[in-house]
Amino acid sequence: MLTGDQYLHDEATRRRLHDELGGSAVDMEGAAVAQACEAFGVPWLLIRALSDLAGRDSRFDFAAFVDEVAAGSAAILRRLLPVLSAERRDSRGVQH
């Protein structure tokens, strides 16, 4: 996963980033979230779902898949949160 500060909608750039850096996907927010959390000592986990292929049609792909992708991310989060909460309690020695 690569992260950057701009929307990627160019197939040549997507291929170059994959070839040079090995990234299979690109997001725009991940690094900023991770950096802010690290700066304030907040544990973090990014859950990403691909909404488009970062090519010339990505603005159409996003609109077509955004609801489905959001639902998938929410489902993952609903299953993951109880597990993470239990692990956090266990690491603090809290009985549950």
Side-chain angles (χ1 to χ4, degrees):
M1 172 65 78
L2 303 175
T3 188
D5 62 354
Q6 56 189 287
Y7 184 69
L8 179 60
H9 56 88
D10 178 69
E11 292 179 45
T13 302
R14 181 185 64 170
R15 278 194 297 273
R16 182 180 57 79
L17 290 171
H18 179 269
D19 293 345
E20 292 178 10
L21 302 173
S24 297
V26 179
D27 86 331
M28 295 179 3
E29 303 86 5
V33 170
Q35 185 176 17
C37 290
E38 288 292 325
F40 290 99
V42 176
W44 57 274
L45 171 69
L46 295 173
I47 298 173
R48 305 303 304 187
L50 300 179
S51 60
D52 60 75
L53 297 177
R56 70 179 187 281
D57 295 329
S58 52
R59 68 178 175 268
F60 303 115
D61 293 344
F62 178 82
F65 297 113
V66 68
D67 292 337
E68 181 180 343
V69 169
S73 293
I76 291 168
L77 190 57
R78 281 193 299 271
R79 292 193 61 156
L80 190 57
L81 280 176
V83 174
L84 294 175
S85 294
E87 285 183 13
R88 188 170 179 143
R89 282 191 304 269
D90 291 345
S91 71
R92 292 180 174 178
V94 176
Q95 298 293 321
H96 51 101

